[in-house]
């Protein structure tokens, strides 16, 4: 959502949407004020740092592949997509750096250890998954053209993703509960008959 709003409305409004959405998410989850301020700040900083890299390399918003009714060449689309992935890479590197430094400082662990634990296998996934923002922005623009209400397209695209995420979360809870129940049963059997 953060990247899509930045692609559609510019870096400033993308950062504003990111900040407000992260703030509401943290408040809904009951995060403390320091944690909420940190999460909002690091997200906005990472998004704006990525936007600076994007603009410095010649990117424009909205990109040509999102402009309604525009004709564009394959080279222009490739350039714009490449610039988007530079933005995404910068965003995730700054984001992971900030989070890893905060965790390293608060847990008195080495930065390298925290970085390896937080980023191993995730950074590539984050960058590839950020391409969903392009799809989200494209759907918004198309629904804006077709029915005059771009948010409807966003809702229709995001709703199934939210449902899948919720179902996956429930599956994880059931799996963890099963593990805990198994451990309790093993302890009960061991208490009754240590040999068994």
């Amino acid at each position: 959502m953060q990247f899509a709003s930045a692609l559609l409305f510019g870096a400033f409004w993308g950062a504003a949407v990111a900040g407000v959405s992260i703030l509401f998410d943290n408040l809904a989850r009951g995060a403390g004020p320091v944690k909420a301020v940190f999460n909002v700040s690091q997200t906005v900083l990472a998004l704006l740092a990525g936007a600076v890299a994007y603009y410095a390399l010649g990117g424009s918003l909205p990109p040509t592949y999102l402009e309604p009714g525009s004709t564009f060449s394959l080279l222009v689309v490739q350039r714009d997509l490449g610039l988007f992935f530079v933005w995404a890479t910068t965003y995730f590197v700054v984001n992971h750096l900030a989070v890893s430094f905060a965790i390293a400082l608060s847990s008195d662990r080495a930065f390298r250890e925290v970085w390896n634990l937080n980023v191993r296998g995730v950074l590539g996934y984050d960058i590839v998954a950020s391409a969903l923002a392009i799809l989200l922005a494209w759907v918004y623009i198309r629904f804006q053209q077709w029915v005059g209400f771009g948010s409807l397209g966003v809702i229709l695209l995001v709703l199934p993703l939210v449902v899948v995420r919720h179902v996956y979360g429930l599956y994880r809870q059931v799996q963890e509960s099963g593990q805990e129940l198994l451990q309790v049963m093993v302890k009960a059997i061991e208490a009754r008959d240590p040999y068994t």
Side-chain angles (χ1 to χ4, degrees):
M1 294 297 271
Q2 299 159 4
F3 281 121
S5 60
L7 287 173
L8 291 168
F9 311 117
F12 172 79
W13 288 110
V17 166
V20 170
S21 65
I22 296 294
L23 178 63
F24 281 129
D25 178 57
N26 277 261
L27 293 175
R29 285 200 258 161
V34 172
K35 187 174 183 177
V37 168
F38 172 77
N39 288 338
V40 168
S41 301
Q42 63 93 9
T43 301
V44 169
L45 174 69
L47 191 67
L48 291 176
V52 167
Y54 179 82
Y55 285 128
L57 293 172
S60 63
L61 294 175
T64 54
Y65 55 83
L66 290 178
E67 291 179 11
S70 65
T71 58
F72 45 85
S73 70
L74 185 59
L75 289 176
V76 172
V77 172
Q78 287 175 340
R79 178 188 64 93
D80 285 348
L81 287 174
L83 290 174
F84 171 78
F85 285 112
V86 166
W87 186 347
T89 302
T90 305
Y91 170 86
F92 287 114
V93 167
V94 170
N95 185 305
H96 287 302
L97 280 171
V99 171
S100 295
F101 271 123
I103 292 172
L105 288 174
S106 66
S107 66
D108 201 29
R109 292 166 45 193
F111 171 77
R112 174 180 275 193
E113 174 189 354
V114 174
W115 173 266
N116 286 336
L117 288 173
N118 285 343
V119 178
R120 187 179 325 137
V122 174
L123 187 60
Y125 169 79
D126 286 341
I127 293 166
V128 171
S130 66
L132 282 173
I134 297 168
L135 176 63
L136 193 60
W138 183 84
V139 166
Y140 178 89
I141 287 175
R142 293 306 170 246
F143 269 78
Q144 188 69 30
Q145 286 177 324
W146 297 333
V147 294
F149 190 60
S151 299
L152 176 65
V154 172
I155 292 168
L156 292 174
L157 181 65
V158 171
L159 193 60
L161 296 174
V162 170
V163 170
V164 167
R165 182 173 186 233
H166 179 70
V167 168
Y168 180 72
L170 292 175
Y171 171 74
R172 295 278 301 179
Q173 286 177 345
V174 168
Q175 191 176 25
E176 289 172 7
S177 297
Q179 283 285 64
E180 290 173 7
L181 181 62
L182 182 62
Q183 289 174 358
V184 167
M185 290 173 63
V186 167
K187 286 180 182 179
I189 291 171
E190 287 176 350
R192 183 171 178 211
D193 187 357
Y195 179 77
T196 304

